[in-house]
Amino acid sequence: GAGVSQSPSNKVTEKGKDVELRCDPISGHTALYWYRQSLGQGLEFLIYFQGNSAPDKSGLPSDRFSAERTGGSVSTLTIQRTQQEDSAVYLCASSLDPSGRANIQYFGAGTRLSVL
Amino acid sequence: AQKITQTQPGMFVQEKEAVTLDCTYDTSDPSYGLFWYKQPSSGEMIFLIYQGSYDQQNATEGRYSLNFQKARKSANLVISASQLGDSAMYFCAMRGGYGNNRLAFGKGNQVVVIP
């Protein structure tokens, strides 16, 4: 499809395990974003990638969270030693050109992470 | 820092009627963008409409219009002629000034359209 693709759509893991969440942005979009949506905190920004620039990691909640973007396209969000408070929906978005006037971010359907 | 406030409780709307969703914001940036997204039960965030802080006219996109009152720092979404498929959570979001590309979201408004 032409939209942002995220996998898996659902992930159940045990506390203490590592998980990897994948995001495939819209083709040609230079910017990629990760957000987290939880009942208590709403939608929170996690990290932002733009081209070859250093990512903006200022939203990552702890050093257990990391993300990379390979070849300027696919991104992987990794959560190490998962905790129950990590349970949330992780949303990925991409945008065509952050310098553009609107810089509309288009979202994927998210990965629902449940930590038991 | 940007702050978005959506305080309305869940709303029931009669099909074919209009509904207004309130959004107020706070920012010190002179240039910013305001967005509305729709999130149906499937979970995907769907972009609806955008308003730039320097835009002279209110944005419109089909049945969606944005009532932008800059002095009051409000950006209310108006959905005209509601349809059953409009039942969803609606989120107001803001992007700050130059170089700030992250979105700050409000808590959302739940809308249920009834036949």
Side-chain angles (χ1 to χ4, degrees):
Chain A
V4 176
S5 177
Q6 291 187 247
S7 61
S9 54
N10 285 282
K11 176 71 177 180
V12 180
T13 190
E14 294 180 349
K15 178 182 173 180
K17 300 283 190 182
D18 297 352
V19 294
E20 287 189 350
L21 313 179
R22 176 188 167 104
C23 173
D24 203 340
I26 294 171
S27 178
H29 280 196
T30 62
L32 186 147
Y33 314 76
W34 284 97
Y35 294 84
R36 178 170 71 173
Q37 185 175 26
S38 58
L39 281 175
Q41 301 298 321
L43 274 147
E44 306 170 279
F45 165 80
L46 296 178
I47 189 169
Y48 157 62
F49 295 89
Q50 166 53 31
N52 295 320
S53 302
D56 175 358
K57 304 179 182 180
S58 59
L60 295 178
S62 78
D63 58 8
R64 295 187 296 104
F65 288 72
S66 63
E68 62 178 21
R69 188 179 185 192
T70 54
S73 181
V74 172
S75 176
T76 302
L77 177 68
T78 300
I79 308 173
Q80 294 178 311
R81 305 181 301 282
T82 51
Q83 304 294 313
Q84 287 181 333
E85 61 262 29
D86 299 334
S87 296
V89 176
Y90 290 81
L91 291 163
C92 177
S94 68
S95 67
L96 181 61
D97 176 10
S99 65
R101 191 181 79 91
N103 187 29
I104 296 166
Q105 296 180 25
Y106 296 93
F107 285 78
T111 293
R112 181 175 297 277
L113 176 65
S114 300
V115 182
L116 304 179
Chain B
Q2 288 81 39
K3 183 179 179 182
I4 299 287
T5 303
Q6 296 177 260
T7 57
Q8 286 168 302
M11 305 172 71
F12 289 93
V13 181
Q14 200 74 39
E15 194 177 8
K16 299 181 184 178
E17 290 189 349
V19 58
T20 297
L21 305 180
D22 296 340
C23 172
T24 58
Y25 59 91
D26 191 20
T27 181
S28 57
D29 290 320
S31 175
Y32 50 88
L34 295 158
F35 304 78
W36 278 91
Y37 284 87
K38 170 185 177 181
Q39 188 177 43
S41 56
S42 60
E44 186 170 355
M45 297 285 283
I46 302 167
F47 166 74
L48 296 178
I49 195 166
Y50 164 80
Q51 180 84 43
S53 59
Y54 291 121
D55 292 344
Q56 295 298 309
Q57 293 188 327
N58 287 341
T60 60
E61 288 286 350
R63 293 186 299 111
Y64 305 107
S65 60
L66 202 152
N67 183 3
F68 180 46
Q69 298 187 44
K70 192 171 183 177
R72 297 179 62 182
K73 293 189 175 180
S74 75
N76 299 340
L77 176 71
V78 180
I79 307 173
S80 62
S82 297
Q83 302 173 355
L84 296 178
D86 293 335
S87 295
M89 281 289 285
Y90 288 82
F91 291 92
C92 181
M94 161 182 277
R95 188 193 70 244
Y98 180 77
N100 180 358
N101 290 296
R102 68 177 68 182
L103 291 176
F105 286 86
K107 297 294 186 184
N109 296 105
Q110 179 73 54
V111 173
V112 176
V113 179
I114 54 178

